Amino acid sequence: MKKLYLIGNHKMNMSLNELEPYFDNLAEIASTSENVVGVCVPYVYLNMAKGMLEGSKVLYGAQNMHYKDNGAYTGEISAHMLNDFNCDLVIIGHSERRAYYNETDEDVNLKIKKALEEGITPILCFGETLDERNGNMAHSVVERQIMGALADLEYEEVSRIIFAYEPVWAIGTGVSATSEQAEEMISFAKRLIADEYGVKTSIVLYGGSLKPSNAQDILSKPSIDGGLIGGACLKIKDFEEIINTKVE
Ligand code: PGA
């Protein structure tokens, strides 16, 4: 049986009241699952995640962080602060942050380095837009994003990263990549990471409209190690169905 990584990305969703039963349910679901379960919540709920999920089988963390330790950066949160809440995970370079907050490959690289230095597992997102795919640039964009994010890193550091291929055109649209498209790009990314850094067993997830109806098909592809799940993780029943996916 393949051990899948199934990690929810709440984005800017859910409330304190909703999260209480949600975390309870998630801890219960994860306790009997063979898969690795995780969830990335808004900063303000990390204290609650620590209280309710620490010691359970659910990994938890944030959706972003700053690469500086402290200073005059109004509204920002450091990796050190995430460590105050014992975060396991932090999403870095999500396409929404690249698109709406102008995050560059250089920012992503600095954040990845800082997360690793602080012992938090970064989930490094990469993926092309529809225009880039239609313009036959998907592979060069993915290569630029991965190489940019990993600049100056060593084998040992790269081996601690979880990668997530998230084609921008599939995120939140209801239209996922086909399992063949996802497999093709993820195997390309894995080859690149192996050739450039010697890491032959990188973990690469797929993200973009992953849901109960397509999870089995996508997650059973040989190169795909799991999923980063947005919309479908907000409903605990849907997330449970995805978490219960079994792949040989
Ligand atoms: P989605 O989001 O599942 O809602 O498409 C995935 C993501 O952005 O991580």
Side-chain angles (χ1 to χ4, degrees), residues 9 11 91 94-96 125 166 170-174 207-210 228-232:
N9 173 11
K11 309 194 178 183
I91 296 174
H94 191 281
S95 63
E96 286 153 14
C125 298
E166 299 208 303
I171 296 178
T173 58
S209 299
L210 196 66
L228 185 57
I229 303 133

Side-chain angles (χ1 to χ4, degrees), residues 16-27 48 52 236:
L16 203 61
N17 286 343
E18 291 169 306
L19 278 173
E20 200 165 325
Y22 180 97
F23 283 156
D24 256 347
N25 284 325
L26 193 59
M48 186 182 186
M52 295 186 68
I236 195 73

Side-chain angles (χ1 to χ4, degrees), residues 16-92:
L16 203 61
N17 286 343
E18 291 169 306
L19 278 173
E20 200 165 325
Y22 180 97
F23 283 156
D24 256 347
N25 284 325
L26 193 59
E28 177 73 32
I29 293 161
S31 72
T32 57
S33 175
E34 301 295 319
N35 292 326
V36 178
V37 178
V39 69
C40 293
V41 298
Y43 296 131
V44 290
Y45 301 131
L46 286 174
N47 196 32
M48 186 182 186
K50 180 178 188 300
M52 295 186 68
L53 299 178
E54 204 174 26
S56 80
K57 279 176 72 187
V58 182
L59 305 177
Y60 63 89
Q63 302 166 13
N64 180 36
M65 50 166 255
H66 201 281
Y67 51 79
K68 291 278 179 80
D69 287 329
N70 49 50
Y73 301 100
T74 302
E76 291 292 335
I77 301 284
S78 69
H80 208 71
M81 293 169 184
L82 298 186
N83 257 341
D84 279 341
F85 298 94
N86 297 341
C87 286
D88 305 293
L89 308 168
V90 60
I91 296 174
I92 302 287

Side-chain angles (χ1 to χ4, degrees), residues 199-220:
V199 178
K200 296 197 174 66
T201 53
S202 54
I203 294 168
V204 188
L205 316 181
Y206 167 78
S209 299
L210 196 66
K211 48 197 168 193
S213 59
N214 60 19
Q216 186 70 40
D217 176 34
I218 292 174
L219 298 174
S220 57

Side-chain angles (χ1 to χ4, degrees), residues 141-156:
V141 167
V142 160
E143 180 165 346
R144 191 207 75 220
Q145 289 176 340
I146 293 177
M147 295 309 290
L150 301 184
D152 310 321
L153 293 186
E154 305 286 340
Y155 168 90
E156 184 277 328

Side-chain angles (χ1 to χ4, degrees), residues 183-203:
E183 168 66 20
E184 191 278 323
M185 189 60 88
I186 287 176
S187 63
F188 169 77
K190 284 189 166 182
R191 269 198 311 280
L192 181 69
I193 297 161
D195 290 350
E196 298 291 335
Y197 290 91
V199 178
K200 296 197 174 66
T201 53
S202 54
I203 294 168

